Amino acid sequence: MRRTITILVLPALLFIFIFFVLPLLFLLAQSFQDPETGQLTLAGYAEFFQKETSQIIYVRTLRLGLTITLINIVLAYPASYVLARLPAKRRTLAMSLVILPLMTNPVARTYAWLIILGRTGLINNVLLSTGLIESPERLIYTEGAIILGLTQLLLPLMILSLVSAMENIPKDVEEAARSLGANGITTFLRVIVPLSADGLVLGATLVFTGSITAYVTPVILGGNRMLMLSTLLRQRAMMAFDEQGATVVAVVMIVTALAVNLLVRMLRPKPTAQR
Amino acid sequence: MLKINDLRVEYEKGVPTLDHYDLTVNEGELVSLLGPSGCGKTTTLRAVAGFVDTAGGQITISGRDVTKIPPNKRDIGLVFQSYALFPHLTVNQNVAFGLRMRRVTKKDQSKRVDEALRLVDLEGLGERRPAQLSGGQQQRVALARAVVIEPQLLLLDEPLSNLDAKLRVNMRTEIRRLQQRLSVTTLYVTHDQIEALAISDRVVVMNHGRIEQSGTPEEIYKQPQTPFVADFMGFENHFAGTVSAVDTDALTVQAADTTFQASQASGDLRAGDEVWVYFRSESAQLAADAVPNSVPVNVLLRTFQGNAIEYVIQSDLGEFKVRLPEDQVRFDAGPAYLSLNPDSLIVMPK
């Protein structure tokens, strides 16, 4: 039995090792190598962390990731609660609507934002015609645009995580809190939130990782004016042909994502055994 | 104390689960709502707790109209079938929850929590989490959590259904003792007639959203007033008949070719009324020869049931079950007489 399992898992493991782990190891090695001499060096990292532009981009990426995660939590919590308490049939329908954005092409979806946020886009047109502004405002290539685009993209992940956690909270427990004198908000904060903490941790990790590694949205809505790690990586690799610089950015991005995941895992409340 | 007046509840518009429903529970009384699933007993309790919208009528607790008041302001203690403890909180925190909501000081909180846990025999388990407790212990925590806030009204929704049979009997006694000690007005929902009879001051039998009969456990057990209550209370046998004569304390019923004397009657029966006659399988007798109040029968089957012997018999009035003590003369398959004591017959209008 054990041997059968090993054999069954082996092909997938091999695939992942050859096409994922190995390239990553090469990437890691390359980031520590001097491109000319091939010797071990920390110069790539020193340059990344000392240069002001890459510092700004790194901090911006973290800040945007955090902001987007917080906005997602605030938007998703009440909605998820309502969804989790819908009767099963209507919940299935509502959930398929929630994941609809995930099934549209990311490029198409992001270009749709240009129609709204562009110089001659919807918002500028409305503001100009009402006389609130005199010349078009620059709305794209701003942090705000990236936040909007990524929040829209990642909200379904947050909602999915929270709903699946909240579905497991028995209605009785909520009613018990109500009967003991807790109003709706207190019940939500003291019962629903702690009991859906697992979903919150999962959702927040997905959204944070998703936003610091996202590519299409920052390219289209941030452009070269508002670089994030992912777009910086492309710039280094495809435009500046600075291969080592690109590998450094890649490693920083991967390590940051992993570190945040580990940190959240360590900080999360002890999983409470459910009945 | 608790008054329900002309209550109407609809889960689906136009389809009432409860309609024209009246119920009164007096101060310190334990009233149980008894009935099969879907009879509206849990709906009644949930309406009192404030978890279902009412489509009409009025609910008052201690003279205060709570019909439109949210559950958290009704001052009730509620115990669920599932216990509904907060899994993320310790036993102490669970019990203290209602006190925190009432802004009781930390010092008083821990004093009252300790007291409540002592009351349900759970001293020393305050730091545990619900998942670390047995089902019976969890139910005690739920009880402590509900009574620690000293509610005006205690509501229990099938609190023993998730426990095994032996524990159920013990917990039943404990709940009753606790209720009497605190003399808290209590509404108790159950589908188990033995539980209802054992624990209640008054039993309210419900069916299809209506009250069939309300009375002391003895009244309900001995004098059911409707076929439904008789069935539910274990009157296994009945037959149809016609009242032929009514005396002050006796009733004569004609059924097939036999005349029966019955000493009790529910409602006002007159000669000529079509009636049902109910009797318990253990209150009937078998005889070898004809005796007064008896009917010839054919014994079909005899089964040994430990302390009793059960017979399945066939007569002109239908098929009946009779249970006789194990040490009595046994009857073999074949002709015999079913003898019915006038006191054991319940006659009710058809």
Side-chain angles (χ1 to χ4, degrees):
Chain A
M1 189 61 206
R2 240 212 149 86
R3 183 171 298 168
T4 327
I5 291 174
T6 318
I7 291 169
L8 290 176
V9 172
L10 210 58
L13 275 181
L14 265 178
F15 184 88
I16 289 175
F17 183 76
I18 296 172
F19 295 106
F20 180 68
V21 178
L22 271 187
L24 270 184
L25 289 176
F26 285 135
L27 189 83
L28 191 64
Q30 206 181 353
S31 73
F32 287 106
Q33 261 175 9
D34 190 298
E36 252 103 80
T37 62
Q39 276 177 328
L40 271 184
T41 170
L42 284 173
Y45 289 94
E47 196 202 329
F48 179 86
F49 285 108
Q50 277 163 10
K51 233 169 133 184
E52 208 194 339
T53 49
S54 50
Q55 276 177 8
I56 289 174
I57 290 168
Y58 189 47
V59 171
R60 174 190 295 147
T61 305
L62 294 179
R63 188 179 59 236
L64 287 185
L66 209 62
T67 313
I68 291 160
T69 309
L70 289 178
I71 292 175
N72 264 294
I73 292 172
V74 172
L75 290 180
Y77 241 116
S80 304
Y81 176 72
V82 173
L83 286 168
R85 288 290 179 242
L86 280 180
K89 230 180 181 167
R90 283 166 60 196
R91 189 172 60 225
T92 315
L93 181 72
M95 291 310 281
S96 45
L97 288 177
V98 165
I99 57 172
L100 201 61
L102 289 178
M103 295 191 278
T104 55
N105 179 293
V107 181
R109 185 180 48 226
T110 312
Y111 270 113
W113 278 112
L114 292 184
I115 299 172
I116 298 172
L117 300 175
R119 271 186 77 80
T120 54
L122 190 70
I123 294 180
N124 269 322
N125 273 344
V126 169
L127 290 180
L128 283 171
S129 64
T130 52
L132 280 170
I133 52 170
E134 282 171 5
S135 58
E137 288 283 329
R138 186 162 60 79
L139 298 173
I140 50 166
Y141 310 134
T142 60
E143 287 193 3
I146 298 178
I147 290 174
L148 263 179
L150 285 179
T151 301
Q152 182 222 25
L153 174 67
L154 298 167
L155 193 58
L157 292 182
M158 189 58 125
I159 291 180
L160 283 176
S161 311
L162 284 176
V163 168
S164 61
M166 286 184 189
E167 277 172 350
N168 295 325
I169 305 175
K171 190 99 177 79
D172 284 357
V173 174
E174 237 175 282
E175 290 181 349
R178 299 279 281 146
S179 76
L180 290 168
N183 61 28
I185 294 167
T186 312
T187 304
F188 189 77
L189 293 177
R190 289 201 180 278
V191 177
I192 302 296
V193 172
L195 289 181
S196 57
D198 283 352
L200 176 66
V201 168
L202 175 67
T205 319
L206 286 174
V207 169
F208 185 81
T209 317
S211 43
I212 67 169
T213 55
Y215 176 67
V216 173
T217 307
V219 161
I220 299 176
L221 295 180
N224 287 333
R225 304 183 70 126
M226 207 49 76
L227 286 172
M228 287 178 71
L229 280 185
S230 56
T231 39
L232 177 68
L233 172 62
R234 180 190 67 145
Q235 215 186 43
R236 287 275 162 88
M238 311 290 186
M239 297 174 186
F241 299 109
D242 171 9
E243 265 191 47
Q244 201 218 10
T247 57
V248 167
V249 176
V251 170
V252 167
M253 194 154 81
I254 292 166
V255 169
T256 304
L258 282 178
V260 167
N261 274 291
L262 280 176
L263 193 73
V264 169
R265 232 166 254 273
M266 275 158 51
L267 289 179
R268 85 202 283 187
K270 294 255 151 44
T272 47
Q274 301 273 339
R275 278 166 303 159
Chain B
M1 169 60 217
L2 168 68
K3 268 202 167 62
I4 301 178
N5 226 327
D6 199 25
L7 183 69
R8 183 179 168 96
V9 174
E10 304 174 347
Y11 286 120
E12 211 179 313
K13 211 161 174 59
V15 190
T17 305
L18 294 176
D19 201 12
H20 301 303
Y21 188 90
D22 297 302
L23 179 73
T24 305
V25 181
N26 298 317
E27 187 80 48
E29 199 182 19
L30 192 158
V31 170
S32 48
L33 301 178
L34 173 65
S37 61
C39 74
K41 56 190 193 298
T42 295
T43 301
T44 308
L45 178 127
R46 292 176 58 77
V48 173
F51 293 124
V52 293
D53 291 331
T54 54
Q58 205 187 30
I59 301 168
T60 57
I61 299 174
S62 301
R64 182 169 73 123
D65 184 350
V66 298
T67 319
K68 300 288 171 216
I69 294 194
N72 50 315
K73 300 213 172 112
R74 291 198 182 191
D75 199 17
I76 44 162
L78 185 50
V79 176
F80 295 82
Q81 180 175 354
S82 65
Y83 322 139
L85 298 178
F86 306 122
H88 59 300
L89 301 180
T90 63
V91 169
N92 278 337
Q93 290 167 331
N94 262 281
V95 179
F97 193 93
L99 299 174
R100 282 185 76 170
M101 294 302 125
R102 283 165 175 72
R103 309 210 182 287
V104 173
T105 62
K106 269 260 147 51
K107 216 178 112 200
D108 283 357
Q109 270 184 38
S110 72
K111 209 177 112 212
R112 285 170 68 175
V113 167
D114 287 348
E115 233 165 79
L117 287 178
R118 192 158 49 237
L119 214 53
V120 295
D121 272 335
L122 284 181
E123 285 168 288
L125 296 184
E127 293 306 318
R128 300 247 184 119
R129 300 221 177 228
Q132 296 169 293
L133 301 178
S134 69
Q137 288 173 327
Q138 291 187 35
Q139 188 56 288
R140 286 161 202 264
V141 177
L143 264 174
R145 185 178 67 175
V147 298
V148 75
I149 56 174
E150 293 169 9
Q152 297 203 42
L153 184 63
L154 182 62
L155 305 176
L156 300 123
D157 186 9
E158 305 254 6
L160 305 179
S161 307
N162 284 351
L163 301 176
D164 63 54
K166 200 177 154 204
L167 204 52
R168 207 177 303 162
V169 175
N170 290 342
M171 275 304 284
R172 186 171 85 197
T173 321
E174 284 195 36
I175 291 179
R176 179 57 161 165
R177 278 221 317 255
L178 185 67
Q179 185 267 337
Q180 286 184 332
R181 195 144 137 204
L182 304 173
S183 57
V184 54
T185 312
T186 303
L187 191 60
Y188 188 104
V189 163
T190 179
H191 65 270
D192 181 336
Q193 56 273 49
I194 299 175
E195 197 175 301
L197 295 176
I199 208 172
S200 316
D201 292 307
R202 198 148 53 85
V203 177
V204 173
V205 184
M206 291 180 62
N207 186 31
H208 296 310
R210 286 181 314 106
I211 293 178
E212 289 271 337
Q213 189 177 344
S214 160
T216 64
E218 264 192 69
E219 282 167 3
I220 297 287
Y221 185 77
K222 292 185 174 164
Q223 288 148 25
Q225 280 165 7
T226 67
F228 177 81
V229 178
D231 262 352
F232 207 72
M233 282 299 140
F235 284 76
E236 289 164 285
N237 303 301
H238 68 276
F239 56 85
T242 312
V243 177
S244 54
V246 181
D247 280 327
T248 39
D249 55 356
L251 206 59
T252 311
V253 177
Q254 183 76 32
D257 294 333
T258 314
T259 308
F260 288 101
Q261 299 293 320
S263 51
Q264 307 171 26
S266 60
D268 302 315
L269 292 167
R270 278 172 302 184
D273 284 351
E274 302 271 306
V275 292
W276 289 118
V277 180
Y278 276 83
F279 64 94
R280 291 181 184 278
S281 58
E282 59 270 14
S283 67
Q285 289 291 332
L286 286 178
D289 305 303
V291 290
N293 248 20
S294 73
V295 59
V297 296
N298 192 15
V299 175
L300 301 176
L301 185 69
R302 182 179 77 198
T303 50
F304 177 70
Q305 302 200 333
N307 60 352
I309 306 290
E310 189 177 279
Y311 296 90
V312 179
I313 57 176
Q314 176 71 47
S315 77
D316 290 348
L317 301 172
E319 201 175 282
F320 300 129
K321 270 186 195 156
V322 175
R323 283 165 71 87
L324 300 179
E326 190 268 332
D327 54 2
Q328 279 198 4
V329 182
R330 304 200 177 171
F331 288 80
D332 294 322
Y337 286 88
L338 169 69
S339 145
L340 297 167
N341 185 328
D343 288 338
S344 69
L345 296 179
I346 303 289
V347 184
M348 59 187 71
K350 224 174 179 176

